[in-house]
């Protein structure tokens, strides 16, 4: 049966592929005739999601109905990767454009987080993954910043597990 999303797009269904633990690792949008479609609300047809052994998001990619990389909700961001430090905190976030190259939004292609006892150094990375500038912030600010930036993009993905 056809489903109308909040934006009024006419879509047949969204299919999910999950791990044995129930984590969503793929989403696929199909039109009413059963062919892949790019959903107007999410801005993509397929998403591929990867997790580490601790079930933390480590990679997210989106594609159009032809299987080509596409920007999330009209942006140039097509892929993001996340690494974590030994304590499970976000260590680095990198952003990639549709062409697979480093995405520089406002001169930033990613962030590196260095944690200390009383503060966090947040380093903005350029397209060569070199530090452009480092800002010293409190632990609370650093953690809030990493979560905010992750949510800026991750929250745009229509994925029930990531809400």
């Amino acid at each position: 049966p056809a489903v109308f999303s909040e934006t009024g797009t006419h879509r047949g269904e969204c299919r999910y592929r999950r791990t044995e633990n129930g984590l969503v690792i793929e989403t696929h949008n199909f039109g009413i005739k059963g062919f892949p479609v790019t959903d107007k609300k999410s801005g993509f047809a397929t998403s591929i999601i990867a997790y580490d052994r601790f079930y933390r998001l480590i990679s997210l990619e989106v594609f159009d109905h032809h299987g080509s990389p596409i920007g999330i909700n009209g942006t140039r961001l097509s892929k993001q990767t996340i690494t974590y430090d030994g304590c499970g905190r976000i260590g680095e976030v990198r952003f990639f454009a549709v062409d697979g190259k480093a995405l520089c939004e406002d001169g930033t292609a990613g962030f590196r987080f260095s944690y200390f006892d009383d503060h966090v150094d947040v380093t903005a990375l350029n397209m060569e993954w070199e530090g452009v500038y480092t800002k010293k912030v409190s632990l609370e600010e650093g953690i809030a910043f990493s979560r905010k930036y992750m949510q800026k993009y991750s929250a745009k993905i229509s994925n029930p597990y990531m809400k």
Side-chain angles (χ1 to χ4, degrees):
V3 176
F4 289 92
S5 71
E6 293 171 8
T7 57
T9 56
H10 196 108
R11 183 176 69 194
E13 66 180 310
C14 185
R15 298 180 196 157
Y16 300 95
R17 185 169 157 235
R18 299 176 183 270
T19 65
E20 60 278 355
N21 298 342
L23 296 174
V24 174
I25 55 174
E26 289 183 22
T27 63
H28 300 275
N29 293 310
F30 293 92
I32 56 174
K33 294 184 179 180
F35 296 106
V37 295
T38 299
D39 183 64
K40 289 182 182 177
K41 181 178 179 187
S42 66
F44 60 86
T46 298
S47 66
I48 307 293
I49 305 156
Y51 303 93
D52 65 11
R53 64 188 177 117
F54 300 108
Y55 310 111
R56 297 177 300 209
L57 177 70
I58 59 171
S59 178
L60 171 74
E61 296 180 75
V62 294
F63 303 90
D64 66 14
H65 59 283
H66 298 293
S68 301
I70 189 172
I72 298 172
N73 286 337
T75 68
R76 292 181 16 232
L77 176 70
S78 179
K79 178 180 179 179
Q80 75 179 42
T81 61
I82 303 112
T83 60
Y84 299 87
D85 69 10
C87 296
R89 300 171 296 204
I90 294 174
E92 196 169 271
V93 179
R94 293 184 176 193
F95 307 106
F96 299 90
V98 174
D99 61 6
K101 295 180 181 174
L103 173 69
C104 258
E105 228 176 66
D106 301 330
T108 304
F111 292 97
R112 184 174 297 128
F113 300 88
S114 301
Y115 300 86
F116 299 93
D117 289 339
D118 62 342
H119 73 279
V120 178
D121 283 346
V122 180
T123 303
L125 304 172
N126 65 14
M127 290 181 69
E128 287 77 39
W129 307 119
E130 297 172 358
V132 178
Y133 67 86
T134 299
K135 182 178 181 182
K136 181 177 177 178
V137 296
S138 71
L139 285 171
E140 294 80 18
E141 289 175 311
I143 291 168
F145 178 82
S146 66
R147 286 185 180 149
K148 177 183 175 187
Y149 216 89
M150 289 290 296
Q151 290 172 350
K152 178 179 179 179
Y153 293 112
S154 298
K156 293 180 178 181
I157 303 299
S158 294
N159 184 326
Y161 181 76
M162 296 177 67
K163 288 184 181 177

